[in-house]
Amino acid sequence: MTTAATTTESDAAEPLTCWCCGGTYQEPDLVRLGNHPEVGVCLSCAHFLHQQARSREDALRPSPASRLRDGLRAGRCLVIRWRWHQHPVIGRPLRWLGRRLP
Ligand SMILES: [Zn+2]
């Protein structure tokens, strides 16, 4: 019990690697898998995985709402492909909007 607590404290100090993008993060910036706590992904990758899961669910159960989300995802892909999210004028509002859309 004491050994596990010591290991956890020492692990919290050193940067940890995201299993998705390979970036280094501190423990509070990672999300752990429930049945495999050794696997951690950063918050950005967790959001990305959530969007991928939602896309798969929408593909399995088509509905008017899922078609609307498909359109929004297509718009997001277009913005990223043309790098409008990095534009000095419209980039900031597009990034703000992208964080709030499904
Ligand atoms: Zn990541």
Side-chain angles (χ1 to χ4, degrees):
M1 186 80 177
T2 330
T3 307
T6 305
T7 303
T8 304
E9 289 171 7
S10 65
D11 288 347
E14 65 187 56
L16 302 166
T17 303
C18 171
W19 281 54
C20 183
C21 69
T24 54
Y25 300 91
Q26 296 297 320
E27 181 62 35
D29 299 326
L30 292 177
V31 177
R32 298 285 178 179
L33 298 185
N35 208 23
H36 292 277
E38 71 276 13
V39 176
V41 294
C42 71
L43 298 180
S44 294
C45 289
H47 287 295
F48 172 76
L49 292 172
H50 174 253
Q51 289 174 347
Q52 294 296 308
R54 180 58 71 106
S55 175
R56 298 259 176 99
E57 285 178 346
D58 285 348
L60 292 173
R61 292 181 211 90
S63 69
S66 71
R67 280 189 221 105
L68 176 64
R69 286 190 294 269
D70 283 344
L72 292 172
R73 278 189 285 271
R76 176 182 283 123
C77 287
L78 184 70
V79 165
I80 292 172
R81 186 177 328 128
W82 288 97
R83 299 183 183 271
W84 292 338
H85 63 294
Q86 296 174 341
H87 190 275
V89 177
I90 61 170
R92 182 182 290 247
L94 286 175
R95 290 191 302 271
W96 178 87
L97 190 61
R99 285 190 298 270
R100 282 152 182 84
L101 292 176

